[in-house]
Amino acid sequence: MDERDWLSERFQDHRSRLRGVAYQMLGSVSESEDAVQEAWLRVSRAGAADVENVGAWLTTVVARVSLNMLRSRNRRREQPLDPRLPDPIITPEGSGPEDEAIVADSVGLALLVVLDSLTPAERLAFVLHDVFAVPFDEIAPMIERSPAAARQLASRARRRVRGEAPAPDPDLAQQREVVDAFLAASRNGDFDALVAVLHPDVVLRADGGARRSRATMTVRGAHEVARRAALARRLAPFARPALVNGTAGVVAIPGGTVLSVLGFTVVEGRIAALDILYDPDRLKDLDVTMLDK
């Protein structure tokens, strides 16, 4: 086996991790694939003759590519979209232990929204260190900072994350009970029941994209979110349970067309965040055929 074939096999071995790094940096499935492909082009040209830790090296390369893409995106964006939700990762919901593994390895929509509010350097420092355990000595050269400065960036990002994206309850079955209670209350137009299942400081973020800009909003507080949910009760009969970024969520599919994806963050038995993607241009590319099985 020549060096290129050997390197190709090692790259495939690490592809899942590399996609995870790119997705958490970019929040976009298509851009993540582009970043991984660009990383492969770079490493295949460079070769790995002098590389001791191939996995760490590949992670560094895809992180650098993702950082450059993120900086370029931020320069092009004249006005930030508020909010602009990341691409959801949808998987069928079952009852086996594999679901627990999905929850453990996933990054929820609420966390990705907060990550999108960080500077590129803060995001890279947090994602690489806190999620993928990359040492600050290796992170620092990527952002042209000292290890101590990289540590400070990650710490600043961590405080932001803890304040705005609390960790969801780990029990998926309990998450589903709360989401089902929310759907039942919404279907019945039961305002009091909706308020009861929502955290007092719940935040609802909806992204309708360019074609449904009126649906784009951020709403805070249990009573206001409950009012919005009651108005949308016509969608409840079309809701199909799914894992959305590893947590209990819902895909609304009236007439076989995906109308919305709802991701829930359940904290201490109540919904602390509700993220809804309405954008038809992005929803049309989602593969939800697995939900019919």
Side-chain angles (χ1 to χ4, degrees):
M1 180 184 298
D2 63 23
E3 180 184 340
R4 184 180 174 86
D5 290 339
W6 177 86
L7 183 57
S8 178
E9 286 193 3
R10 301 290 79 74
F11 192 88
Q12 292 303 320
D13 290 342
H14 292 279
R15 179 176 283 273
S16 178
R17 174 186 172 92
L18 299 178
R19 288 181 62 190
V21 172
Y23 175 70
Q24 293 186 38
M25 282 292 296
L26 299 166
S28 165
V29 172
S30 62
E31 289 184 354
S32 300
E33 293 288 356
D34 291 343
V36 171
Q37 182 61 29
E38 174 63 24
W40 165 246
L41 293 176
R42 293 190 182 191
V43 301
S44 63
R45 289 194 297 262
D50 300 324
V51 176
E52 295 183 3
N53 187 329
V54 174
W57 177 55
L58 294 176
T59 297
T60 297
V61 174
V62 81
R64 287 182 181 273
V65 171
S66 300
L67 179 63
N68 290 337
M69 292 174 66
L70 189 61
R71 285 171 170 168
S72 177
R73 178 206 292 172
N74 287 0
R75 286 194 296 268
R76 293 194 309 269
R77 186 181 297 174
E78 296 180 1
Q79 292 182 342
L81 299 176
D82 184 24
R84 204 276 183 182
L85 296 185
D87 293 343
I89 304 297
I90 301 171
T91 49
E93 185 175 288
S95 58
E98 64 275 7
D99 286 337
E100 300 300 328
I102 292 173
V103 172
D105 294 339
S106 295
V107 174
L109 291 181
L111 174 55
L112 285 169
V113 170
V114 176
L115 293 182
D116 206 34
S117 70
L118 304 177
T119 67
E122 288 173 339
R123 186 166 188 167
L124 183 137
F126 175 82
V127 168
L128 289 189
H129 182 267
D130 284 42
V131 182
F132 293 98
V134 177
F136 288 116
D137 287 346
E138 297 178 20
I139 294 172
M142 301 184 208
I143 52 177
E144 301 178 338
R145 307 286 181 90
S146 68
R151 184 186 300 275
Q152 290 180 341
L153 288 173
S155 177
R156 187 186 308 158
R158 194 178 304 119
R159 289 194 298 270
R160 184 81 173 267
V161 166
R162 287 174 178 171
E164 299 184 29
D169 293 345
D171 191 314
L172 185 58
Q174 291 181 4
Q175 289 184 33
R176 175 51 58 191
E177 288 181 7
V178 174
V179 172
D180 286 347
F182 172 87
L183 292 175
S186 178
R187 188 181 300 112
N188 297 328
D190 190 335
F191 185 84
D192 291 338
L194 280 169
V195 171
V197 81
L198 297 171
H199 188 280
D201 299 321
V202 62
V203 56
L204 179 153
R205 290 174 289 250
D207 179 358
R211 289 203 283 153
R212 291 179 180 162
S213 58
R214 293 181 62 183
T216 298
M217 67 184 73
T218 299
V219 178
R220 299 181 183 274
H223 284 80
E224 186 60 23
V225 172
R227 188 178 69 83
R228 299 278 181 175
L231 291 173
R233 62 180 178 271
R234 66 186 183 279
L235 298 178
F238 307 105
R240 301 187 189 181
L243 292 179
V244 178
N245 285 57
T247 60
V250 165
V251 181
I253 317 179
T257 300
V258 180
L259 183 61
S260 60
V261 174
L262 290 75
F264 295 83
T265 303
V266 177
V267 178
E268 297 180 351
R270 289 190 291 183
I271 297 169
L274 173 55
D275 294 289
I276 310 174
L277 181 63
Y278 283 120
D279 185 351
D281 294 323
R282 295 165 67 196
L283 291 171
K284 65 181 176 58
D285 296 325
L286 294 180
D287 180 9
V288 294
T289 56
M290 80 290 283
L291 301 183
D292 295 325
K293 298 179 180 179

